Amino acid sequence: MKRVNMLLMLMFISTLSAAEFDHKTVIEGPFASGSEVTEQCLVCHEEHASAFMKSSHWTWELEQQLPGRTVMRGKKNSVNNFCVAVSGNEPRCTSCHAGYGWKDNSFDFKDMTKVDCLICHDTTGTYVKDPKGAGEPMAKVNLERVAQQVGQPVRDNCGSCHFYGGGGDAVKHGDLDSSMSYPEKTTDVHMDVDGNDFQCQTCHVTEDHQISGNAMGVSPGGVDHIGCENCHDNAPHEKAKLNSHSASLACQTCHIPFFARNEPTKMHWDWSTAGQGLAETKDEYGKKTFMNKKGSFKWQKMVKPQYAWFNGSADAYMVGDKIDPNSVVKLNYPLGNIDDPKAKIYPFKVHTGKQIYDSKLNLLITPKVFGKDGYWDKYDWDLAARLGMQANEDMVKKGIKYSGQHGFVETEMWWRINHMVSPKSEALQCNDCHNKGTRMDWQALGYDADPMKNKQGKRHKVN
């Protein structure tokens, strides 16, 4: 019967779009695993799975250019100042991978049956990944029901991972959280459910499962950028004075005056205070500010962005790079300055942290925090450091082993703000930045003072 159903699908699916085709007529369970669902999907969609397996959503890495070097980098091997690294922590971190079973370095990226079709195409709202299951769905999920009702992705599909990166709602991005599933106009004018109601792929145009856009945290050297200019021209305002700002300012700078509008976002994480055996504490938002296994946190809501020049490229720390423990280690940061004709002033969330490093080798450690013998199990930083370094393929390839000495170093990570675009009535006004306005740190941006004092309105420093 299943074979007959599959043949029927092959006959009719070519004449119908995925949204029109009734998968109930051909998908037949029950299913014991996500891979069993994928096997049925592949009968008609093998070419789609093959295309998806070339995407960074599957590989979690991308060849890219950083200043002076070409690297393979992505979520797979980047270092952050949240839970630090994927290596050694796969069952937890890979719960957001669009695949099944990435438990350790033995995961087979060529196995097509491991592709998770449902995480992007579920329309029931019931498909949930096991947060500790290496990408497998929760046991309670009715896989047959989900598979029979697949369709085009909506915000909730993308948000199931991107809203909850870092282990919770609004933790990482600041401009992506659960409030973006069904936002009001005051939260985001583009995704406003009573207005434009954009889905993610409205801007993140997708072809052959290659989703446009690169996140600066994992793909700082990526060149597949999207922006406001995809839909808006460079002179969208009625007033010429406002249009002249587009030479130096990104649209987001004025039109996203705040991020974390509804849900507080994490702004600081100090691992050095973990393991003290103290009681948990919470802030005015109900967010934990201390957890014994994770350390101390700071959360903020309605956050003013930090502004910096950005020319479309960024640099980043790579595993094995040497650090100066007496300075703040920049895990990634935008490139560009006041004299760079390609650069514009953009808004950013800057997440600061304090994390473990090898105090003899002067490099960042990628500790094992999750699972058996991890820090959350034994509360032993030396053990977590050794096991994490052993599990990190890049460390092993470079012959780097934990020296047995560790400390904690201050770090910062830059996240470009693109979402939560406010109504134009709430955009920054002239006096927010100029005259006595304090929104911009003009000297930090390379100006001597408020550039409005330069009557020519040029980008160069005011003399």
Side-chain angles (χ1 to χ4, degrees):
M1 179 63 71
K2 289 185 179 181
R3 178 172 176 78
V4 172
N5 285 344
M6 289 303 156
L7 290 174
L8 287 172
M9 179 187 281
L10 285 169
M11 290 171 61
F12 293 113
I13 200 167
S14 61
T15 62
L16 297 171
S17 71
E20 295 172 328
F21 187 79
D22 184 3
H23 286 78
K24 292 179 182 178
T25 63
V26 293
I27 296 293
E28 183 179 348
F31 300 105
S33 68
S35 289
E36 289 185 9
V37 176
T38 302
E39 288 176 3
Q40 288 201 26
C41 297
L42 292 174
V43 173
C44 291
H45 298 289
E46 183 174 344
E47 73 279 12
H48 298 116
S50 178
F52 174 73
M53 292 170 75
K54 298 175 184 176
S55 75
S56 56
H57 272 79
W58 173 256
T59 63
W60 273 16
E61 63 181 1
L62 175 72
E63 183 175 281
Q64 52 196 284
Q65 295 292 324
L66 299 184
R69 52 184 171 170
T70 301
V71 300
M72 286 296 292
R73 179 186 169 88
K75 189 176 178 68
K76 183 179 182 180
N77 65 347
S78 58
V79 178
N80 62 59
N81 53 8
F82 294 89
C83 287
V84 187
V86 171
S87 297
N89 304 296
E90 287 87 352
R92 182 66 183 91
C93 295
T94 56
S95 64
C96 261
H97 183 239
Y100 302 121
W102 185 356
K103 298 179 180 180
D104 52 37
N105 291 334
S106 67
F107 181 71
D108 185 0
F109 285 91
K110 295 181 180 180
D111 186 348
M112 199 172 286
T113 67
K114 298 302 182 184
V115 171
D116 183 354
C117 307
L118 302 181
I119 189 62
C120 294
H121 293 286
D122 167 43
T123 67
T124 68
T126 64
Y127 185 74
V128 182
K129 295 259 204 178
D130 183 341
K132 301 178 182 179
E136 300 288 353
M138 294 286 285
K140 66 179 181 180
V141 175
N142 185 332
L143 293 173
E144 182 176 19
R145 178 183 176 227
V146 174
Q148 289 177 343
Q149 299 184 62
V150 292
Q152 294 297 316
V154 295
R155 289 184 297 270
D156 271 340
N157 295 104
C158 305
S160 64
C161 284
H162 290 288
F163 296 166
Y164 300 93
D169 193 4
V171 170
K172 278 187 175 179
H173 292 274
D175 62 342
L176 288 173
D177 59 40
S178 60
S179 71
M180 297 293 278
S181 289
Y182 304 97
E184 298 179 347
K185 185 176 182 179
T186 52
T187 297
D188 189 282
V189 297
H190 296 116
M191 300 189 189
D192 170 25
V193 292
D194 295 320
N196 292 307
D197 199 21
F198 282 11
Q199 300 304 318
C200 299
Q201 60 268 35
T202 305
C203 293
H204 293 272
V205 178
T206 302
E207 185 175 354
D208 291 334
H209 282 79
Q210 309 301 306
I211 302 173
S212 61
N214 288 138
M216 208 176 81
V218 295
S219 301
V223 296
D224 186 15
H225 298 301
I226 62 174
C228 305
E229 295 82 1
N230 287 21
C231 294
H232 303 280
D233 60 35
N234 289 322
H237 306 96
E238 295 180 0
K239 295 182 179 180
K241 188 65 175 177
L242 291 178
N243 286 329
S244 69
H245 281 63
S246 65
S248 299
L249 294 178
C251 304
Q252 296 93 318
T253 299
C254 294
H255 289 278
I256 310 179
F258 300 96
F259 60 88
R261 300 185 70 92
N262 302 292
E263 301 294 331
T265 188
K266 192 172 287 185
M267 297 297 293
H268 181 76
W269 186 334
D270 183 354
W271 278 99
S272 70
T273 62
Q276 297 181 12
L278 302 177
E280 290 185 352
T281 56
K282 294 184 178 181
D283 62 14
E284 66 269 33
Y285 308 117
K287 294 292 187 178
K288 294 176 181 178
T289 55
F290 177 80
M291 295 177 67
N292 190 51
K293 73 176 189 177
K294 292 185 176 181
S296 305
F297 314 116
K298 291 181 181 178
W299 300 80
Q300 291 182 29
K301 191 175 178 180
M302 287 295 287
V303 185
K304 293 181 181 180
Q306 187 163 324
Y307 300 98
W309 293 100
F310 177 57
N311 63 14
S313 298
D315 201 357
Y317 179 89
M318 291 293 293
V319 167
D321 287 353
K322 296 292 184 178
I323 67 168
D324 177 0
N326 298 311
S327 301
V328 175
V329 179
K330 293 185 177 183
L331 299 180
N332 72 318
Y333 55 94
L335 297 176
N337 56 58
I338 193 173
D339 297 316
D340 185 340
K342 294 182 179 180
K344 294 184 180 183
I345 298 172
Y346 274 83
F348 294 88
K349 168 187 171 176
V350 181
H351 181 266
T352 59
K354 199 169 185 181
Q355 63 197 88
I356 190 170
Y357 81 103
D358 191 306
S359 56
K360 181 177 181 180
L361 300 177
N362 281 340
L363 51 81
L364 294 180
I365 289 170
T366 55
K368 177 179 175 61
V369 297
F370 176 81
K372 185 178 183 299
D373 294 331
Y375 184 74
W376 296 339
D377 181 27
K378 301 296 185 183
Y379 290 91
D380 183 336
W381 277 121
D382 284 312
L383 178 60
R386 179 171 58 82
L387 293 178
M389 300 278 264
Q390 289 175 351
N392 192 311
E393 289 182 311
D394 288 346
M395 293 286 193
V396 173
K397 289 177 182 177
K398 294 178 180 180
I400 300 173
K401 297 181 179 180
Y402 174 50
S403 72
Q405 301 178 32
H406 74 268
F408 292 86
V409 65
E410 293 184 0
T411 60
E412 66 181 32
M413 192 172 185
W414 291 64
W415 299 81
R416 191 153 64 99
I417 299 298
N418 293 304
H419 311 90
M420 296 190 178
V421 178
S422 295
K424 61 182 180 181
S425 60
E426 297 180 18
L428 294 182
Q429 302 300 304
C430 300
N431 287 336
D432 287 318
C433 300
H434 301 295
N435 299 320
K436 295 183 180 180
T438 59
R439 175 68 67 145
M440 294 289 173
D441 184 342
W442 294 116
Q443 290 188 337
L445 290 167
Y447 295 95
D448 290 334
D450 183 348
M452 280 292 286
K453 295 181 180 179
N454 175 8
K455 295 182 179 180
Q456 301 302 315
K458 295 180 180 179
R459 180 184 277 194
H460 59 66
K461 293 184 181 180
V462 178
N463 295 318

